[in-house]
Short mmCIF file of all heavy atoms in Angstrom, two decimals:
data_model
loop_
_atom_site.label_atom_id
_atom_site.label_comp_id
_atom_site.label_asym_id
_atom_site.label_seq_id
_atom_site.Cartn_x
_atom_site.Cartn_y
_atom_site.Cartn_z
N MET X 1 -148.92 13.38 -83.76
CA MET X 1 -149.99 12.37 -83.67
C MET X 1 -149.59 11.14 -84.49
O MET X 1 -149.24 11.25 -85.65
CB MET X 1 -151.26 12.95 -84.24
CG MET X 1 -152.49 12.15 -83.88
SD MET X 1 -153.94 12.88 -84.64
CE MET X 1 -153.81 12.39 -86.33
N THR X 2 -149.62 10.01 -83.88
CA THR X 2 -149.35 8.82 -84.66
C THR X 2 -150.65 8.08 -84.95
O THR X 2 -151.55 8.04 -84.13
CB THR X 2 -148.38 7.85 -83.92
OG1 THR X 2 -148.93 7.62 -82.62
CG2 THR X 2 -146.99 8.44 -83.79
N ARG X 3 -150.66 7.52 -86.11
CA ARG X 3 -151.85 6.88 -86.58
C ARG X 3 -151.70 5.37 -86.36
O ARG X 3 -150.59 4.83 -86.49
CB ARG X 3 -151.92 7.19 -88.06
CG ARG X 3 -153.17 6.77 -88.71
CD ARG X 3 -153.03 7.09 -90.15
NE ARG X 3 -154.36 7.16 -90.72
CZ ARG X 3 -154.65 7.90 -91.77
NH1 ARG X 3 -153.73 8.65 -92.31
NH2 ARG X 3 -155.84 7.86 -92.26
N ALA X 4 -152.79 4.70 -86.05
CA ALA X 4 -152.72 3.26 -85.87
C ALA X 4 -152.26 2.63 -87.20
O ALA X 4 -152.66 3.06 -88.27
CB ALA X 4 -154.07 2.71 -85.50
N ARG X 5 -151.36 1.68 -87.05
CA ARG X 5 -150.85 1.02 -88.26
C ARG X 5 -151.97 0.18 -88.89
O ARG X 5 -152.57 -0.65 -88.22
CB ARG X 5 -149.72 0.11 -87.80
CG ARG X 5 -148.62 -0.02 -88.84
CD ARG X 5 -147.50 -0.84 -88.22
NE ARG X 5 -146.41 0.04 -87.83
CZ ARG X 5 -145.65 -0.17 -86.76
NH1 ARG X 5 -145.89 -1.15 -85.95
NH2 ARG X 5 -144.69 0.66 -86.49
N PRO X 6 -152.25 0.37 -90.18
CA PRO X 6 -153.29 -0.45 -90.78
C PRO X 6 -152.83 -1.91 -90.89
O PRO X 6 -151.64 -2.17 -91.00
CB PRO X 6 -153.47 0.15 -92.17
CG PRO X 6 -152.25 0.97 -92.45
CD PRO X 6 -151.59 1.28 -91.13
N SER X 7 -153.73 -2.83 -90.83
CA SER X 7 -153.33 -4.23 -90.89
C SER X 7 -153.04 -4.64 -92.31
O SER X 7 -153.52 -4.00 -93.27
CB SER X 7 -154.44 -5.11 -90.31
OG SER X 7 -155.49 -5.22 -91.27
N VAL X 8 -152.26 -5.70 -92.43
CA VAL X 8 -151.90 -6.20 -93.77
C VAL X 8 -153.18 -6.63 -94.51
O VAL X 8 -153.31 -6.36 -95.70
CB VAL X 8 -150.91 -7.38 -93.64
CG1 VAL X 8 -150.69 -8.05 -95.00
CG2 VAL X 8 -149.57 -6.88 -93.11
N ASP X 9 -154.11 -7.23 -93.78
CA ASP X 9 -155.38 -7.64 -94.40
C ASP X 9 -156.11 -6.43 -95.01
O ASP X 9 -156.55 -6.48 -96.16
CB ASP X 9 -156.33 -8.26 -93.34
CG ASP X 9 -155.94 -9.70 -93.06
OD1 ASP X 9 -155.17 -10.28 -93.88
OD2 ASP X 9 -156.37 -10.23 -92.00
N GLU X 10 -156.21 -5.41 -94.18
CA GLU X 10 -156.90 -4.19 -94.66
C GLU X 10 -156.24 -3.60 -95.89
O GLU X 10 -156.90 -3.22 -96.85
CB GLU X 10 -156.77 -3.12 -93.55
CG GLU X 10 -158.00 -2.83 -92.73
CD GLU X 10 -157.62 -1.79 -91.68
OE1 GLU X 10 -157.13 -2.21 -90.59
OE2 GLU X 10 -157.76 -0.60 -91.95
N LEU X 11 -154.90 -3.52 -95.83
CA LEU X 11 -154.19 -2.92 -96.95
C LEU X 11 -154.30 -3.78 -98.21
O LEU X 11 -154.48 -3.28 -99.30
CB LEU X 11 -152.71 -2.72 -96.59
CG LEU X 11 -152.41 -1.61 -95.59
CD1 LEU X 11 -150.94 -1.55 -95.25
CD2 LEU X 11 -152.86 -0.25 -96.16
N GLU X 12 -154.22 -5.08 -98.01
CA GLU X 12 -154.33 -5.98 -99.16
C GLU X 12 -155.68 -5.80 -99.85
O GLU X 12 -155.78 -5.69 -101.05
CB GLU X 12 -154.17 -7.44 -98.73
CG GLU X 12 -154.22 -8.42 -99.89
CD GLU X 12 -154.35 -9.87 -99.47
OE1 GLU X 12 -154.53 -10.15 -98.27
OE2 GLU X 12 -154.29 -10.73 -100.37
N ARG X 13 -156.72 -5.75 -99.03
CA ARG X 13 -158.06 -5.56 -99.59
C ARG X 13 -158.20 -4.23 -100.28
O ARG X 13 -158.66 -4.12 -101.42
CB ARG X 13 -159.11 -5.69 -98.46
CG ARG X 13 -160.53 -5.90 -98.94
CD ARG X 13 -161.54 -5.49 -97.88
NE ARG X 13 -161.32 -4.13 -97.37
CZ ARG X 13 -161.57 -3.04 -98.05
NH1 ARG X 13 -162.07 -3.11 -99.25
NH2 ARG X 13 -161.32 -1.85 -97.51
N GLY X 14 -157.75 -3.15 -99.62
CA GLY X 14 -157.87 -1.81 -100.17
C GLY X 14 -157.09 -1.64 -101.48
O GLY X 14 -157.60 -1.09 -102.45
N VAL X 15 -155.86 -2.11 -101.45
CA VAL X 15 -155.01 -1.98 -102.64
C VAL X 15 -155.63 -2.81 -103.79
O VAL X 15 -155.75 -2.32 -104.92
CB VAL X 15 -153.55 -2.41 -102.37
CG1 VAL X 15 -152.75 -2.49 -103.65
CG2 VAL X 15 -152.88 -1.42 -101.41
N SER X 16 -156.01 -4.03 -103.51
CA SER X 16 -156.60 -4.89 -104.55
C SER X 16 -157.87 -4.28 -105.13
O SER X 16 -158.17 -4.48 -106.30
CB SER X 16 -156.94 -6.26 -103.97
OG SER X 16 -155.83 -6.83 -103.38
N ALA X 17 -158.59 -3.53 -104.28
CA ALA X 17 -159.81 -2.88 -104.77
C ALA X 17 -159.51 -1.58 -105.50
O ALA X 17 -160.41 -0.88 -105.96
CB ALA X 17 -160.77 -2.64 -103.62
N GLY X 18 -158.23 -1.23 -105.58
CA GLY X 18 -157.84 -0.01 -106.29
C GLY X 18 -158.13 1.25 -105.54
O GLY X 18 -158.27 2.33 -106.13
#
Side-chain angles (χ1 to χ4, degrees):
M1 194 182 76
T2 53
R3 188 183 200 152
R5 213 174 257 144
S7 76
V8 172
D9 281 344
E10 254 177 274
L11 288 177
E12 182 191 7
R13 196 202 52 74
V15 171
S16 305

